[in-house]
Amino acid sequence: MARYLLTRLGQALVIVILVTLITFVILHFLPGGAARAILGKEATLEQIAAFNHDMGYDRPLWEQYALYLQRLVRGDLGYSFQLNQSVAEAITQRLPKTMVLSLASTALAVVIAIPLGVVQAVRRNKWPDYTINALSLLAYATPIFFLGLMMIILFAQVWPLLPPEAPQGFTLGEVLADPAGLVLPTVTLAVLTVAVYSRYVRSSMVDNLNENYVRTARSKGLSEGRVIVGHTLRNGLFPVITLLGMYLPALFSGALVVERLFNYPGMGLLFWQSALKRDYPILLGVTLLISVATVLGALVADVLYAAVDPRVRLKASRS
């Protein structure tokens, strides 16, 4: 098992380095450049050249990337001239807010998706299965920005039950002080997750319902509810555990749109504004954070999956 973990950690490190390299190269080939974005349209060519020399932007690309990696090793993510603060400070201020939104939407999605997937599996190829499947496909196909706009129109204008804007606050406490403002962003972000998770739960449950241990449990006289909840559901949730770790990129991309739509001061809105201003240090820092979180999430999911599934645990012990 230790060798398996070391192998996965090595693979994770390689993936993170490749992500930083690809992002670094793409950002430096975008038109305009950081100097023009920071100094403004009125800056002269001499001023831009002086800025690029001071920041090291006139050096070869491989040398710039090597210096960037050296700063990363020291924990230096760079400095944002647009925000006039370090990248680490900007991320630290906004990361807890995005985590609250993401965790709340994921928890809501899991609570709804698991029962829906179980109902679909138990009543498969019948009207409950067809109805939930149609609604899931509709939710999955609906653009998240359109869904958010409909939420605002319906529940903030037609029926003024909730505020149309997310909580505005500098600290996490100020955001949590307005729970009503979190309802629409959380529900909007959770809808797509429900559609994905419910289909995974259904597929896994259908596979497990055809296993021999289910027939054995029924032959022993166990009630159908105990067979479903106590045996099938427990094994059917294994793929969902893996999905939770692998779903982080999609969750962040959804949070980016939702935060922009509801003006929620989190990481997604920071990334959006930084892209418009060509704030390269912020873009690199956020991308690095998301890639690390995704890789760690996948690693944790693999470890949990290996811990609960004896077949994976046996394979890991042999590797």
Side-chain angles (χ1 to χ4, degrees):
M1 189 66 175
R3 185 177 178 182
Y4 172 75
L5 289 177
L6 290 176
T7 302
R8 296 291 289 121
L9 284 173
Q11 294 172 350
L13 180 61
V14 172
I15 292 174
V16 170
I17 293 177
L18 288 176
V19 169
T20 60
L21 175 60
I22 294 172
T23 307
F24 189 88
V25 172
I26 290 176
L27 289 179
H28 278 71
F29 276 104
L30 290 178
R36 178 65 67 183
I38 294 171
L39 300 178
K41 297 180 180 179
E42 303 300 326
T44 64
L45 295 178
E46 291 77 11
Q47 291 172 330
I48 292 177
F51 179 87
N52 288 334
H53 180 74
D54 293 338
M55 300 302 298
Y57 292 154
D58 56 348
R59 299 182 180 182
L61 191 59
W62 66 267
E63 187 176 349
Q64 294 184 47
Y65 181 69
L67 293 174
Y68 174 70
L69 290 181
Q70 290 179 9
R71 293 195 298 268
L72 283 183
V73 173
R74 299 195 302 265
D76 182 9
L77 295 177
Y79 189 85
S80 171
F81 290 95
Q82 299 285 355
L83 301 177
N84 196 25
Q85 62 180 163
S86 67
V87 175
E89 184 180 357
I91 291 177
T92 302
Q93 291 175 355
R94 294 161 177 81
L95 179 59
K97 303 169 190 177
T98 296
M99 290 183 63
V100 167
L101 179 62
S102 299
L103 291 176
S105 64
T106 302
L108 177 64
V110 169
V111 169
I112 297 175
I114 291 178
L116 290 179
V118 172
V119 170
Q120 283 186 271
V122 175
R123 305 289 294 174
R124 60 187 180 277
N125 298 327
K126 297 181 180 179
W127 71 265
D129 183 25
Y130 295 142
T131 302
I132 297 175
N133 189 49
L135 293 176
S136 297
L137 290 175
L138 179 62
Y140 190 79
T142 303
I144 194 168
F145 70 88
F146 177 78
L147 179 62
L149 287 174
M150 294 304 298
M151 290 283 187
I152 293 174
I153 293 173
L154 291 177
F155 298 106
Q157 295 182 357
V158 178
W159 302 299
L161 303 175
L162 297 167
E165 189 177 48
Q168 301 298 304
F170 185 76
T171 65
L172 180 61
E174 293 173 349
V175 172
L176 295 178
D178 183 17
L182 286 172
V183 174
L184 288 183
T186 301
V187 173
T188 302
L189 191 57
V191 168
L192 176 61
T193 312
V194 170
V196 175
Y197 284 7
S198 63
R199 292 177 62 83
Y200 269 85
V201 173
R202 179 197 182 278
S203 177
S204 181
M205 285 288 295
V206 169
D207 292 339
N208 280 274
L209 284 172
N210 296 322
E211 294 290 339
N212 291 330
Y213 74 88
V214 174
R215 287 189 286 268
T216 301
R218 286 170 175 165
S219 65
K220 291 181 179 180
L222 297 180
S223 64
E224 189 66 16
R226 188 173 177 183
V227 171
I228 296 298
V229 177
H231 294 76
T232 312
L233 180 59
R234 182 176 59 185
N235 295 321
L237 291 180
F238 290 163
V240 180
I241 295 175
T242 305
L243 184 64
L244 286 172
M246 299 299 296
Y247 200 66
L248 281 175
L251 192 62
F252 176 74
S253 64
L256 190 153
V257 177
V258 169
E259 290 182 10
R260 175 66 182 88
L261 184 62
F262 291 94
N263 197 31
Y264 184 72
M267 291 272 292
L269 184 59
L270 173 66
F271 191 87
W272 177 281
Q273 294 172 340
S274 300
L276 294 179
K277 298 176 181 178
R278 296 198 295 273
D279 195 344
Y280 296 152
I282 292 290
L283 295 176
L284 279 171
V286 174
T287 303
L288 175 65
L289 179 64
I290 298 303
S291 63
V292 170
T294 302
V295 169
L296 290 179
L299 180 61
V300 171
D302 288 345
V303 172
L304 291 176
Y305 197 45
V308 298
D309 193 331
R311 294 171 298 181
V312 179
R313 185 166 60 248
L314 179 62
K315 181 179 179 180
S317 63
R318 290 176 177 175
S319 62

